[in-house]
Amino acid sequence: MKTMTIAMTLLGAFLAAPSISLAQQHDIEHLVVEMANTPQEHQAVAQHYRMKAQEARDESARHQSMGQVYAARRSSTPQQGRQHCEAIAKQFQAIAGEYEELAKLHDELSKNPQ
């Protein structure tokens, strides 16, 4: 019970504190994943990864939108910008897919905690 309380507190702090540095976020995320043992903890981690997947999809959409702005221009330089944005949008879609897979993994772990 104490481990669950600590993990849930850390996860709550992690999700509620967007002002902490990226390195700190990664450290906290690693700790929470490492400590997740109960179904509730794994579900909290799964929800976190779903949130990260949505953030990646939002970034993809943002880059797709910028690519459309470049595409509306008529010279070759903006076309390079369009290609750049399209490539980044595809990468963010792939990242979103990976986060969804992690969420599914933790959904499964919540059914069979170890």
Side-chain angles (χ1 to χ4, degrees):
M1 183 68 172
K2 185 176 180 181
T3 302
M4 183 175 94
T5 303
I6 293 169
M8 296 304 282
T9 301
L10 285 172
L11 185 59
F14 176 66
L15 295 174
S19 63
I20 62 176
S21 76
L22 189 56
Q24 289 170 320
Q25 287 178 11
H26 290 306
D27 289 343
I28 292 170
E29 185 174 34
H30 184 266
L31 181 62
V32 168
V33 168
E34 190 175 282
M35 292 177 66
N37 291 315
T38 68
Q40 296 86 356
E41 291 167 350
H42 284 292
Q43 280 299 306
V45 173
Q47 183 59 35
H48 168 71
Y49 284 131
R50 284 188 192 90
M51 183 181 72
K52 302 268 294 182
Q54 184 58 52
E55 289 172 0
R57 285 190 293 274
D58 292 346
E59 276 297 306
S60 177
R62 189 172 70 83
H63 282 279
Q64 288 171 347
S65 177
M66 285 189 296
Q68 292 170 356
V69 170
Y70 279 115
R73 298 187 179 156
R74 300 276 184 233
S75 69
S76 63
T77 302
Q79 294 312 311
Q80 291 170 344
R82 178 189 55 79
Q83 291 168 351
H84 165 84
C85 288
E86 287 174 357
I88 290 176
K90 286 179 186 176
Q91 291 169 355
F92 275 111
Q93 284 296 331
I95 289 168
E98 293 298 329
Y99 279 128
E100 289 293 345
E101 288 301 315
L102 282 170
K104 288 177 188 176
L105 171 68
H106 282 278
D107 284 336
E108 287 302 313
L109 288 171
S110 75
K111 296 173 187 169
N112 301 305
Q114 298 176 8

